[in-house]
Amino acid sequence: HNSFPMANSDAGTGVAFILLSVLSGVLSSASYQVVSYCTARAGGTVQGWRGICLNVANLVIGLAGVGFFVLASKLGPVSVAMPVQTAANLLLNMIVQGCAGIKQYTTTMVVGTLMLAAAALCLMFVGPTDPSGSIDVMSLVSATLAEVWLCGNVLLLLGSLAFLVFRGPVGAAGADAHLEASRSTSSSSAAAAEPKKEAGARMLAYALLVAESTALGATIGKMLTVTSGGLLACCFFFYFLAGLGTMLGGNVAAHVVDLSVYMPISQCVQLAINGATGLCVWGDAPRVQNPVLYGCVYGLVFLCVFLCSERDDGRQKPPLADQRADQGRALECVVNGS
């Protein structure tokens, strides 16, 4: 019999837990939205003291979101808090981006975002429950599978950072502008497709940088509670680096990428890495409520990202005005009998 992970909690604790998780997602999204909105209003990167204040606001709001998530995790399982945070994050991102006129959401993008938020919430009913007792952190982290997985995470983190350093931090905004310019000058579709691929690669690199920093930071954070001496100092140092990667990576991404596409990708990567870390490091596999549905929900999450990304099949569609003009001419021909 599979039950809701918080079925044994009292009503007050459950309500507080859900509210804190929602606040965490709202603030996490707001830290991006404040940068995106101000950048859009300014028509480019905000310079001078305004830019400094904007970056400080981004970091403060983001840290507040992290704080609320920590409080939520003390009242209930992370396997519930993370999906609730993700759903609130994605919904606020869509509302702000659409209402502020930063991004025009298509019907497909709206449906994809809503489906992704719903799929994230489903994880709490089919995913792993929290362990009933205490866990031996060092024995779990030192297991062979855990070491291989953590080393792979470090390599992905370094690879994404190296890509962004050597290829430049320019994101989807610059690529989309280049794409529009190439379309307006009737250049080849191959030339127009290159900046879109470049933007997608950079967007994925930012998502991996933030997600890997967060996942490694969470693992190191658990090690802080059971280490001492020189090992504790090393853990503090790497925990600081992981936090720096999460905050600065998110800050730069908020300035240079299309958040309507980046946020679904980022949240999908975050959920996937956290889920895999739970299975490979923290022994979540025996506590997964329904393994088949758990895998299916993650498959649905990945598919929803394609709906949110507004990527077509490579064929350039005529503008809406031209489509309506063609329809008008066709209707006129039918009426005139020609």
Side-chain angles (χ1 to χ4, degrees):
H1 177 67
N2 295 329
S3 60
F4 183 68
M6 291 197 67
N8 296 326
S9 301
D10 62 86
T13 301
V15 171
F17 169 76
I18 296 297
L19 288 178
L20 288 172
S21 301
V22 170
L23 278 175
S24 173
V26 167
L27 290 173
S28 176
S29 181
S31 66
Y32 287 91
Q33 304 309 324
V34 65
V35 174
S36 178
Y37 179 76
C38 293
T39 302
R41 288 291 299 273
T45 303
V46 181
Q47 303 290 346
W49 66 269
R50 289 187 177 88
I52 296 175
C53 292
L54 185 61
N55 289 326
V56 170
N58 169 265
L59 294 176
V60 170
I61 297 173
L63 286 173
V66 173
F68 278 112
F69 185 80
V70 172
L71 291 176
S73 64
K74 292 182 179 298
L75 297 179
V78 176
S79 59
V80 178
M82 179 65 71
V84 173
Q85 182 203 44
T86 298
N89 190 317
L90 292 173
L91 292 176
L92 181 64
N93 179 70
M94 181 178 66
I95 292 171
V96 173
Q97 293 280 308
C99 293
I102 301 173
K103 177 72 175 184
Q104 183 179 359
Y105 272 69
T106 64
T107 302
T108 301
M109 294 175 70
V110 172
V111 171
T113 301
L114 294 176
M115 289 179 62
L116 184 52
L121 290 176
C122 288
L123 289 173
M124 70 175 71
F125 297 100
V126 299
T129 58
D130 270 13
S132 56
S134 60
I135 60 174
D136 188 345
V137 174
M138 295 308 297
S139 65
L140 290 174
V141 172
S142 59
T144 302
L145 179 59
E147 290 179 344
V148 171
W149 172 252
L150 292 175
C151 288
N153 283 344
V154 172
L155 291 177
L156 276 176
L157 173 62
L158 295 177
S160 60
L161 183 60
F163 177 87
L164 292 172
V165 169
F166 290 106
R167 299 298 292 270
V170 178
D176 287 345
H178 183 86
L179 180 59
E180 291 299 323
S182 64
R183 283 178 175 175
S184 63
T185 55
S186 300
S187 59
S188 66
S189 58
E194 181 61 27
K196 181 179 287 189
K197 293 179 180 179
E198 193 77 12
R202 285 195 177 92
M203 202 173 295
L204 181 59
Y206 279 115
L208 282 172
L209 174 62
V210 173
E212 293 289 3
S213 298
T214 303
L216 290 172
T219 300
I220 298 172
K222 290 186 178 182
M223 294 176 63
L224 289 174
T225 62
V226 295
T227 54
S228 60
L231 184 57
L232 178 63
C234 290
C235 287
F236 264 118
F237 175 72
F238 286 110
Y239 186 75
F240 171 77
L241 289 182
L244 197 65
T246 299
M247 302 307 298
L248 292 184
N251 179 270
V252 176
H255 282 85
V256 300
V257 301
D258 180 356
L259 291 184
S260 66
V261 180
Y262 169 77
M263 293 301 286
I265 293 176
S266 175
Q267 294 302 304
C268 174
V269 172
Q270 182 74 68
L271 285 173
I273 290 177
N274 279 325
T277 301
L279 296 175
C280 296
V281 178
W282 305 118
D284 284 350
R287 291 180 280 106
V288 173
Q289 299 176 71
N290 193 314
V292 175
L293 291 181
Y294 190 53
C296 290
V297 169
Y298 269 109
L300 183 59
V301 167
F302 295 141
L303 291 175
C304 288
V305 171
F306 287 95
L307 297 179
C308 298
S309 66
E310 199 187 23
R311 295 292 189 250
D312 53 32
D313 57 2
R315 294 175 293 182
Q316 185 172 333
K317 299 177 182 179
L320 182 59
D322 293 345
Q323 296 181 40
R324 290 177 175 174
D326 292 340
Q327 293 172 359
R329 284 192 292 269
L331 180 60
E332 183 180 356
C333 290
V334 172
V335 172
N336 294 334
S338 58

